[in-house]
Amino acid sequence: MSLRPQKKLFSAFVCQTRRYSAPGDGSIPAAKQKYVSTSGTYPKGFLAGSAFVGVKASNTKFDDLALIVSEKPCAAAAVFTKNKFQAAPVTVTREMLQNRKGDGIRAVIVNSGCANAVTGLGGIEDARAMGTTTDAALPDPATTDDGNGTRSIVMSTGVIGQRLPISKILARIPTAVSNLGATHDHWHAFARAICTTDTFPKLLSRTFTLPSYPGTTFSLAGTTKGAGMIHPNMATLLSVICTDAPITPAALHPLLAAAVDRSFNSISIDGDTSTNDTCALLANGAAVPAAAWSSPVANNPHSDDYQAFLRELTALTTDLAHLIVRDGEGATKFVAIRVLGAPEYAHAHRLARTIATSALVKTALYGKDANWGRILCAVGYADGVPERVVDPTRVSVSFVPAASTQARETPVDGELRLLVDGEPQQVDEEVAARMLEEEDLEILIRLNGEVTGEECVFWTCDFSHEYVTINGDYRT
């Protein structure tokens, strides 16, 4: 056998061109520019900024230290990864929020390039040092130690198992403080500084009102990072969300947990959950004078204010979660998986998540192959779903154009029905191929003919050759 073909194959492999990963010069791929916010309305009383440290040796010019500060102490809550190997910043931040009961928080300090995970007691000391150094560098720092530790939430992201260059980080925290500001550019700088394999910074904002404060406009802004190791719980990401609405500390955690469940916990890139996942929500009430805090949003799910804010928060976290999926490492498709007709939401969520994490489904999507058998298999082997939930004689599978706004209870315009009540359909392969050429697609699963019961939407992307290349080269 000639060695020439083998040599050609090897050359093609090592010279593979990256089409979907972040360019080495830090520019944003043309196809992703449309997802980058160019303006925003940001919550009063919060400042954002960044600084360059060079945490990762290969980074010689991009900011990798990010800071958000509330001009006055605020309420805060966070949800974290459920990975058993939890990073030092997760441990330190959870402990601090518990000690302070979610009140009196001033800042969020984040480094990219090193996760400070699986780093022992030294890593814990480093995370605490990041918090206390941030506290001391802030304008109007607390002058007394109240025994509850730092007032700063600490986050890290990057390679696992390596110690932080902590002296370099601590030395640059005052620079990050001096770079703080309230403009879109300042928030954008924060969003960019927390990126790792992301191809674009993810930053969104919105305004809203609350029934108890007629005539007052509040703001909600959020930024997140994540492109790989994305999966519940809590997906692999860091996220910071701020609002100038008056919300009690007791209400923040249940509000955040409910929003995250329907957003960040309903996406998957590759089925891997990391050690550092943290989503924090801060509220300082700065949109109204303290004297006008007649009725802060309290921990009462039956109140109109609580439900109004929950809707806004869930909408924002969902939009941020979509950006993560669209930036999935090597991804070429954004896929919504909608399951209708489950007895419980948890059942629908498990089914949708199983489809989303099937490597065979994801590679078929990348290959533009309408292989619905792989989808059906995933429905059939989903763990934790009672047999009564999935009746093979009543399950239907379809592809739906993502642009459709119709309700899914009955067939919609443009729907390509692949399986109806357990019976395979005559599929027009040309139509299927055209649908799979599009960037956006919905996979629709109806579990029963009447479509009664709970509905879940879960978002994922495809698996491309590029995903392997990015992760094979990650540490280099």
Side-chain angles (χ1 to χ4, degrees), residues 19-21 31-32 199 227 268-269 324-335 362 366 439 460-467 470:
R19 296 183 177 88
Y20 312 111
S21 56
K32 304 294 179 69
T199 68
S268 183
I269 300 297
I324 290 175
V325 175
R326 291 190 181 281
D327 200 22
E329 290 173 342
T332 70
K333 295 195 182 303
F334 176 83
V335 184
K362 293 162 80 69
Y366 175 64
E439 180 181 347
T460 191
C461 59
D462 55 348
F463 265 162
S464 69
H465 303 290
E466 186 75 356
Y467 177 85
I470 292 168

Side-chain angles (χ1 to χ4, degrees), residues 12-13 15-20 466:
F13 177 76
C15 298
Q16 181 177 354
T17 300
R18 294 190 178 190
R19 296 183 177 88
Y20 312 111
E466 186 75 356

Side-chain angles (χ1 to χ4, degrees), residues 121-138:
L121 293 177
I124 295 290
E125 293 173 1
D126 291 346
R128 286 177 177 156
M130 285 179 64
T132 56
T133 302
T134 300
D135 289 352
L138 295 179

Side-chain angles (χ1 to χ4, degrees), residues 29 34 56 97 118 134 140 145 203 261 274 311 340 454:
K34 59 188 175 184
K56 196 171 183 179
L97 289 173
V118 197
T134 300
D140 302 319
D145 182 359
L203 170 65
D261 189 50
S274 186
R311 285 192 296 272
L340 302 177
E454 294 293 325

Side-chain angles (χ1 to χ4, degrees), residues 11 20 46 89 120 140 186 240 254 261 264 324 326 340 368 426 474:
S11 298
Y20 312 111
F46 283 102
D140 302 319
H186 289 95
V240 182
D261 189 50
F264 291 134
I324 290 175
R326 291 190 181 281
L340 302 177
K368 304 177 180 64
Q426 188 68 36
Y474 181 66

Side-chain angles (χ1 to χ4, degrees), residues 180-389:
L180 289 170
T183 70
H184 171 76
D185 287 345
H186 289 95
W187 282 83
H188 179 86
F190 177 97
R192 185 122 198 189
I194 66 176
C195 290
T196 50
T197 59
D198 307 60
T199 68
F200 65 93
K202 301 163 183 65
L203 170 65
L204 296 171
S205 64
R206 60 197 297 128
T207 58
F208 63 97
T209 59
L210 294 173
S212 294
Y213 294 87
T216 300
T217 299
F218 299 102
S219 296
L220 184 64
T223 180
T224 189
K225 64 82 51 184
M229 291 185 78
I230 300 291
H231 186 66
N233 279 305
M234 227 210 22
T236 303
L237 58 93
L238 300 182
S239 183
V240 182
I241 302 164
C242 301
T243 183
D244 52 17
I247 304 175
T248 63
L252 281 181
H253 191 273
L255 283 163
L256 180 61
V260 164
D261 189 50
R262 299 296 176 109
S263 55
F264 291 134
N265 277 347
S266 292
I267 61 174
S268 183
I269 300 297
D270 46 23
D272 277 295
T273 298
S274 186
T275 53
N276 291 60
D277 315 338
T278 304
C279 177
L281 172 62
L282 290 78
N284 65 7
V288 292
W293 278 40
S294 57
S295 178
V297 179
N299 187 17
N300 177 12
H302 300 293
S303 77
D304 292 340
D305 283 350
Y306 185 101
Q307 289 300 322
F309 183 74
L310 178 58
R311 285 192 296 272
E312 297 295 335
L313 180 62
T314 303
L316 181 77
T317 56
T318 299
D319 288 344
L320 288 170
H322 288 182
L323 292 180
I324 290 175
V325 175
R326 291 190 181 281
D327 200 22
E329 290 173 342
T332 70
K333 295 195 182 303
F334 176 83
V335 184
I337 300 169
R338 189 184 303 269
V339 176
L340 302 177
E344 299 177 16
Y345 176 79
H347 299 153
H349 192 272
R350 283 182 177 271
L351 289 167
R353 186 175 69 179
T354 303
I355 297 168
T357 54
S358 166
L360 290 179
V361 171
K362 293 162 80 69
T363 51
L365 291 168
Y366 175 64
K368 304 177 180 64
D369 180 9
N371 192 339
W372 56 266
R374 294 181 178 182
I375 299 169
L376 203 64
C377 282
V379 173
Y381 67 64
D383 288 335
V385 179
E387 287 191 16
R388 61 183 172 81
V389 174

